[in-house]
Amino acid sequence: MERHYDLVVVGTGVTSAVATRCREAGWSVAVIDSRPFGGTCALRGCVPKKILVSAAEAVHATRDMGQIGVSASTTAIDWPGLMTFKRSLVDPTPARTEESWAKLGVEQFLNLDRLPSRVVFVGGGYVAFEFAHVAAHAGARVTVVHRGARPLEAFDPDLVALLVKRSRELGIALEVGAEVAAIDAAPDGLVVRARQAGVERRFETDMAVHSAGRVPELDDLDLAAAGVQREKRGVSVNEFLQSVTNPAVYAGGDAAASGPPLTPKASHDAEVLTTNLLEGNRRRVNYEGIASAVFSLPPLASAGLTEEAARARNLRFRTTWQDTSGWFNTRRVGETTSGFKVLVAEDTDRVLGAHLLGPHADEVINIFAVAIRLGIPAAELKDVLFAYPTYGSDVRFML
Ligand SMILES: Cc1cc2nc3c(=O)[nH]c(=O)nc-3n(C[C@H](O)[C@H](O)[C@H](O)COP(=O)(O)OP(=O)(O)OC[C@H]3O[C@@H](n4cnc5c(N)ncnc54)[C@H](O)[C@@H]3O)c2cc1C
């Protein structure tokens, strides 16, 4: 049967909000997904992950506070109990949206009924760090094997160095410059084989997790048949999110080769797509100041430009950077590691980039995201009367 629609949306993730808006405007709309309705963030990404991170945070906080007079002897993650709780929050999403698809869940780390005692993560990006910290706090022996010279390449190198040191103190083995060549079966599990500085390394494990980056699922769409140009990281689009080779096709979120593959970007793209579909191309994408976080323990967060990116744009800026492990707000919760780096433009005094590591960095970064996106000068941000003593109140001392 063939039917004509004004709009066909492939995928039911964050970007698919465009379907609702166009339907509300009177368009005929079809939505297709090859997996349970809800998309990556709600079912297989940010949401279930944050539930596991919350449990690890409780263990982390209690252990840290054990150093400062809070009894921490019995705090531990009950993995099956945590999974049951996670399913109670996450599973209703596909059930509500599309009941008949609900049983087609995909196995990955987020659905393990039992946590293996040894886990190797292949790749040292943010997903690897987050799950490594969760697994380590749940009692697993964790190794992260990363090909490059340093992990978390998109983040500030000085803060990453602090986080790497802290991760090692927490018992996470981190191997850099190690390229994985094969994963073989072994009598009692798996062996991950890698080459590191010309030497073969073997990492014995019960489970190996692929965390070496994600690419959008575009191969099975046969885009070439419709004359739609693509790159490895997505459909080639212009600033209106329209295919550069087929004007009847638009792409947003992870599927578009534009901006970072993150939920706030997908959400922004849905807004841009809605305007451009309903009113013609008149809204351009603007990812300036987009905030992101690594939900490690402690978290690492970033908004705006890194020093490297600011230099590449020939911007004149001043950098304030400090290891703040000795600051009150870090020490009062027993944490040992924190720091910040803030970039401010010399000519306009605008905040260009902010990079934070430490307790609640994932929340405080939003203050900087507001300043960057709205162009609030550093002097004005410094003048805000934040509640004291909160983590937000430290922002004034970072400018
Ligand atoms: C483990 C993990 C943790 C993450 N954590 C964070 C985080 O903390 N913060 C953050 O901002 N981002 C995070 N992300 C990234 C975030 O989830 C994505 O950027 C976001 O979900 C992208 O939304 P989307 O709508 O573009 O695509 P998706 O939500 O991926 O939706 C695409 C949908 O299209 C469907 N589909 C694909 N191909 C076809 C086809 N041929 N036919 C039919 N259907 C198809 C898929 O099944 C999927 O449901 C995480 C991702 C992962 C995997």
Side-chain angles (χ1 to χ4, degrees), residues 154-156 159 300-307 320-322 339-343 352-357 361 365 368 398:
F155 289 83
D156 177 77
L159 297 187
L300 172 68
S302 168
L305 302 178
T306 59
E307 280 181 300
T320 319
W321 127 247
Q322 194 175 335
F340 72 86
K341 185 177 285 183
V342 176
L343 282 55
L352 298 173
H355 310 276
L356 310 178
L357 173 70
I365 198 66
F368 284 103
M398 299 179 187

Side-chain angles (χ1 to χ4, degrees), residues 11 13-15 33-34 40-41 46 49 126 214 253-254 261-264:
V14 176
T15 319
D33 204 308
S34 53
T40 303
C41 185
C46 339
K49 175 191 79 183
Y126 78 94
R214 300 182 299 123
D254 285 7
L262 293 169
T263 292

Side-chain angles (χ1 to χ4, degrees), residues 30 198 215 268:
V215 285
H268 173 74

Side-chain angles (χ1 to χ4, degrees), residues 329-392:
N329 269 331
T330 304
R331 292 183 62 196
R332 74 178 164 84
V333 292
E335 178 54 72
T336 58
T337 306
S338 64
F340 72 86
K341 185 177 285 183
V342 176
L343 282 55
V344 176
E346 293 282 12
D347 49 355
T348 60
D349 196 39
R350 285 179 64 164
V351 181
L352 298 173
H355 310 276
L356 310 178
L357 173 70
H360 302 289
D362 51 330
E363 296 291 347
V364 178
I365 198 66
N366 292 320
I367 295 173
F368 284 103
V370 170
I372 295 169
R373 192 132 176 111
L374 303 187
I376 300 170
E380 285 185 24
L381 189 57
K382 206 174 167 65
D383 197 37
V384 176
L385 302 179
F386 294 103
Y388 182 84
T390 59
Y391 289 93

Side-chain angles (χ1 to χ4, degrees), residues 40-55:
T40 303
C41 185
L43 302 183
R44 300 177 292 277
C46 339
V47 172
K49 175 191 79 183
K50 199 71 162 86
I51 296 167
L52 305 192
V53 169
S54 299

